[in-house]
Amino acid sequence: MFKKLLIANRGEIAMRVNRAAHELNIETVAIFSEADRASLHVRNADEAFCVGPGPVARSYLNIPNIISSALISGADAIHPGYGFLAENARFAQICTDHGLTFVGPAPETIAQMGDKATAKAIMQAAGVPTTPGTNILASLAEALVAANELGYPIMLKATAGGGGKGMRAVRNPEELEHAYATAQAEAEANFKDGRLYMEKLIDRPRHLEVQVIGDSFGDAVHVGERDCSVQKPSHQKLVEEAPAPVLSERTRTRLHDVALAAARAVRYQSLGTLEFLASGDDVYFMEMNTRVQVEHPVTEMLYGVDLVKEQIRIAAGERLSFSQAGLVPSGHAIECRINAEEPSQNFAPAAGLLNDVALPGGAGIRVDSHAYTGLAIPPFYDSLLAKIIAHGATRTEALDRMSAALADTYIGGVNTTIGICATIVEDPRFREGGVGIDYLPGLVAGAAAAR
């Protein structure tokens, strides 16, 4: 097992990894920007190094400073969390080149699955169903021809994308030129890779994902599915739950089987997530995230496992500590993301001073957060303040517990998503289950029209 782990991240995920490492008796090293000097993840680690000023390019993406911090501190491993450098194959290779274990899959696996066009080809070869689409588009002219062949509506996607960046839905030829230019520019700005590909737009699908984990001994398991269909217009998730409601057992089993086949096809070693679009009983592979997901606590609550500790153990060369037969879900779990955002302004992020913070508790409630009264929220980073997770014996009990937990939550000083999350979990349409990715934009639009 590692002796010292550097956590190359911030906020609640840095807190989460720090806790898992300490439970494994591993010393921890935090990194922080000048804007995050007072963050809880800095206080909770055994050591901490400032890696630069507030902007991410000069701090949390500053690879030389991060590697230097690891070497100076004597760390023997680096956990990237999610976002930032978590799916950067070059960073993973640099870690290896400096004698540091990267807590994640091999650099070549990250590169394969991070390029969505390549990943799609690998999945097709493995027999995993994929959305009809193209390879990387060479030009707007090629995109126009391909769209006519696929038939509108279509979705443009950045091959190096993630977090909803570089994605544009196009419903007719007149929209394509502008959408192509803006998606390409957004992809270049966010990923330094402006390449795009195209897929047939599945109308009103659900967004389902399957958690997988594999070790270096060739063993791999799935840890069930999550429904992540409640998404903002930017395609970023807001509410996730497990198991997916209103899903036939036939489709559920097929989803698990194809996800496990996909993980085995790339000899996957670490924690990862296969994402799918579902329309009725049809499921289509969308992408693989080669990292821990924001919503991993939903699965942990449902299965009673610690996915982050398992990820660290596997990186240290240990075998999976559980078998497929030993993974048995219990009840239902749901997560709400509490972001510093204004939902009525297209979820525009907010920055400011948290002047009052009250977080919930009680039976079946878990809160992952770095928020506290007096914390300054800088404008440089993702807006996530807290994740509230509710577990119950049934979906109704989990939803009722979540509703009570949200009522007990207060964060003052910035606008948040507490209110919209409370509306969602009480909405009869959501309570029926099975909403698609069009649900939240429609809900927000309806609320705006009613004002």
Side-chain angles (χ1 to χ4, degrees), residues 113-357:
M113 304 313 290
D115 186 294
K116 292 176 174 54
T118 301
K120 187 173 181 179
I122 293 170
M123 294 301 103
Q124 288 172 336
V128 177
T130 61
T131 309
T134 70
N135 295 319
I136 294 170
L137 298 164
S139 63
L140 173 62
E142 184 177 321
L144 285 164
V145 173
N148 286 330
E149 292 176 351
L150 281 175
Y152 291 90
I154 58 94
M155 178 72 83
L156 290 170
K157 291 186 174 183
T159 189
K165 304 295 186 184
M167 291 176 59
R168 289 294 184 279
V170 183
R171 299 195 172 275
N172 56 64
E174 290 72 31
E175 297 177 359
L176 185 56
E177 181 174 357
H178 180 260
Y180 189 92
T182 54
Q184 193 171 56
E186 189 172 79
E188 181 63 39
N190 283 277
F191 313 114
K192 305 301 181 187
D193 185 345
R195 294 176 301 158
L196 305 177
Y197 67 104
M198 181 186 298
E199 287 183 346
K200 177 70 177 173
L201 183 63
I202 308 300
D203 195 35
R204 303 179 66 184
R206 296 169 69 182
H207 185 145
L208 307 178
E209 61 186 31
V210 181
Q211 181 72 68
V212 296
I213 187 164
D215 63 22
S216 59
F217 298 89
D219 294 325
V221 297
H222 72 78
V223 200
E225 85 288 346
R226 299 181 286 254
D227 190 322
C228 305
S229 300
V230 180
Q231 301 178 8
K232 295 178 284 185
S234 62
H235 304 289
Q236 292 175 314
K237 303 160 189 172
L238 187 65
V239 177
E240 303 99 350
E241 60 181 310
V246 196
L247 191 68
S248 72
E249 286 308 308
R250 176 176 173 272
T251 302
R252 195 185 313 277
T253 299
R254 183 163 177 257
L255 198 63
H256 296 169
D257 289 347
V258 297
L260 202 50
R264 287 171 174 161
V266 293
R267 298 178 179 84
Y268 197 75
Q269 299 175 27
S270 191
L271 197 64
T273 301
L274 281 295
E275 302 205 356
F276 298 85
L277 291 179
S279 179
D281 287 333
D282 295 324
V283 294
Y284 304 98
F285 170 80
M286 189 166 53
E287 64 185 34
M288 183 175 193
N289 293 311
T290 55
R291 53 172 167 78
V292 63
Q293 293 277 96
V294 178
E295 58 272 21
H296 74 275
V298 171
T299 299
E300 292 184 327
M301 295 282 274
L302 192 68
Y303 283 86
V305 297
D306 189 319
L307 294 173
V308 178
K309 284 168 66 174
E310 196 71 9
Q311 184 188 30
I312 294 171
R313 287 192 190 103
I314 287 171
E318 295 187 7
R319 286 185 178 273
L320 274 169
S321 66
F322 40 71
S323 65
Q324 192 68 70
L327 290 167
V328 181
S330 175
H332 198 93
I334 183 168
E335 174 181 288
C336 287
R337 301 190 192 188
I338 309 304
N339 301 326
E341 294 174 339
E342 177 48 68
S344 66
Q345 301 298 320
N346 199 30
F347 293 91
L353 184 70
L354 303 186
N355 56 35
D356 194 3
V357 176

Side-chain angles (χ1 to χ4, degrees), residues 83-120:
F84 294 140
L85 297 168
E87 294 179 282
N88 187 309
R90 176 172 167 267
F91 177 64
Q93 185 61 57
I94 290 172
C95 289
T96 301
D97 291 345
H98 285 80
L100 299 161
T101 299
F102 178 81
V103 181
E108 53 269 25
T109 303
I110 298 173
Q112 281 183 326
M113 304 313 290
D115 186 294
K116 292 176 174 54
T118 301
K120 187 173 181 179

